[in-house]
Each structure stands twice: as C-alpha cells, then as structure tokens.
Amino acid sequence: MVKHGGPETPRRSADAPPGVSLNIPARTVARKRNSQSPLSTKSVFTTGEAAKICKVSQQTIIRCFDSGQLKGFRVPGSRFRRIPRDQLIAFMRDNGIPTDALESGRRKILVVDDDEELVELIRDVLQRDGRFEIRTVNNGFGAGIMVKEYRPDLIVLDIMLPDINGKEVCQVVRADPSMDEIRIICISGMVEEDKIQELKAAGADDFLHKPFEIETLVDRICQLLDIESPASA
C-alpha cells in the first residue's frame, strides 16, 4: 500500500482503494445523523437494494447486470451480484433515473491543506467513493470562511497551515454552538504526542500522522460520520 502525505510522491491506482480494516478505537459520536437513509450511505448494493433505489423490479436489475448494462461483481464463491455505488449512479444517469435517493445522502467534507498533491488525492478517492461532496481550501483564513458557508459534516485539517495554526481553526469551529456536530480530523507530520492531546482539547475528534495510508483516512472519516466503511462493504 502507498502512504501519502510524506516526502514520497503520491501514486494513484486505477482501481478504487479497497480500504483497510483497522482496530482503531473510534471516539463516541455525540449525535448520530439518524435522518440519513441507510441506503444513501452504502458503498456497495445488492440487486434488491438497487431495484428499490431505481424503482424497478429486481429481475430488471439482474438482467441489466448480466447483460453488462449495469457494472458490478459477483461475491467470490457465490452467485450473489454486487453493484458499487459509482456504477449504480452511472447506470441511473444513463437511463434517466433520478439519483436523488443516493446523492441527497452525500456527506460534505472540507479538506484544509496546502499540499496540493495530497488534497488532489483525497478529493479523488472520496469522489470515487460516491458518498461524499468535497470542497478544499489551502489556508486557515479561508477555512474559517468556508466552514461557515459550506457547513461541512467533517473537516480534514492540516495543522501546519501557511497563515494560522490548525489548532486555531478547531477553536473557531468549537466556539460556535451551531457547528457542534462538525467532526474534525487533524493531520500533520510535525506534531509531538503531547501536542495531540492539546488539539483534541481544542476540538479535534481524531488525529493522523503524516505520511498515512489513504485507506486509513477514509476509514476514520466513516467511523466519525457513523457510516459503513469500504472495508466492511
């Protein structure tokens, strides 16, 4: 697996990352977003689930799958068909089927980092997942403005920003009660262990050391937003 955020130049695979199953103690999320439809946050669907979303019969979905119109894969060692989220959305658009049932459930992610290559990689991976809407900004001042306008569900926040410290961004977010549900994952390659607790005291929900595996970041995002991770799909 390729690690990202360090001195090595990030490499991107042509295939979507499979995710990594890690024994990471997840922080308790204060308020779960129970209003989200379970199907709106899944990354892989059964033919029955796809039929429900598309409002057609399951046999129609199976025929489209078997003919190649709807791309997917079979579960190894079984005859069960599975359809990745991005392929289902593509199929729906090609056939004029409204995608509101899927896209209305997308979670908003704000990435704050001045490392252009890392930001591009994170954006690419999250967009291909299909469950996220992503915006980016490269400095703390812009982050403060974007947080209030965009109201993200989660912020991926680099601590070493060119203008202000990421810790200050955490404090700004936590000072506003209306943004209490926003989750924050801080990232940095230059933070000592004792400083991590200070970041969490300032409002960070989690922390990742650079360089990190991109699958680890996606897994942490899913944990904090209480949605299914690609590794368990």
Side-chain angles (χ1 to χ4, degrees):
M1 293 184 181
V2 181
K3 292 191 175 182
H4 306 285
E8 293 185 353
T9 301
R11 294 176 292 161
R12 284 183 288 174
S13 169
D15 299 321
V20 178
S21 179
L22 301 173
N23 294 320
I24 302 168
R27 286 170 61 90
T28 301
V29 178
R31 298 189 182 98
K32 294 184 179 180
R33 294 167 172 80
N34 293 324
S35 59
Q36 296 289 347
S37 165
L39 291 181
S40 71
T41 56
K42 286 179 69 74
S43 57
V44 178
F45 301 89
T46 66
T47 55
E49 290 169 339
K52 181 178 180 181
I53 291 169
C54 295
K55 297 182 179 179
V56 299
S57 71
Q58 186 173 2
Q59 286 304 313
T60 296
I61 293 295
I62 290 173
R63 284 197 299 271
C64 291
F65 183 101
D66 291 346
S67 68
Q69 289 178 268
L70 177 55
K71 305 296 183 183
F73 61 91
R74 290 183 183 271
V75 177
S78 77
R79 302 171 65 180
F80 296 121
R81 303 164 179 84
R82 293 293 183 267
I83 304 159
R85 184 186 187 87
D86 59 342
Q87 295 297 335
L88 181 58
I89 290 176
F91 171 79
M92 294 171 72
R93 288 174 177 167
D94 289 345
N95 289 277
I97 302 172
T99 58
D100 295 354
L102 289 177
E103 296 183 316
S104 62
R106 288 191 300 175
R107 300 301 181 86
K108 297 192 289 186
I109 307 295
L110 175 62
V111 181
V112 185
D113 200 318
D114 60 343
D115 183 337
E116 294 182 4
E117 291 184 330
L118 179 59
V119 169
E120 181 183 357
L121 177 64
I122 293 173
R123 178 170 50 200
D124 181 56
V125 170
L126 292 179
Q127 285 179 338
R128 281 191 285 129
D129 181 287
R131 296 176 295 171
F132 304 101
E133 176 186 315
I134 301 93
R135 292 192 185 180
T136 66
V137 66
N138 62 9
N139 59 73
F141 179 76
I145 296 175
M146 183 67 75
V147 168
K148 294 182 179 180
E149 293 180 353
Y150 185 49
R151 295 286 169 163
D153 293 293
L154 184 142
I155 305 170
V156 178
L157 175 64
D158 183 27
I159 296 305
M160 307 301 291
L161 296 170
D163 50 358
I164 65 174
N165 191 289
K167 179 180 176 181
E168 296 178 50
V169 177
C170 288
Q171 293 170 332
V172 168
V173 173
R174 296 305 178 216
D176 187 341
S178 70
M179 295 190 283
D180 183 57
E181 289 191 359
I182 296 177
R183 305 296 103 198
I184 303 175
I185 299 179
C186 289
I187 58 175
S188 178
M190 302 177 65
V191 174
E192 298 174 356
E193 289 297 325
D194 61 332
K195 300 296 183 182
I196 295 177
Q197 293 306 315
E198 292 183 16
L199 288 171
K200 292 185 176 180
D205 294 281
D206 205 346
F207 180 86
L208 277 177
H209 282 286
K210 292 183 179 180
F212 52 79
E213 295 171 355
I214 195 66
E215 294 91 347
T216 302
L217 175 62
V218 175
D219 192 62
R220 300 282 185 99
I221 288 173
C222 291
Q223 287 181 11
L224 287 174
L225 295 182
D226 192 36
I227 62 178
E228 183 180 35
S229 69
S232 61

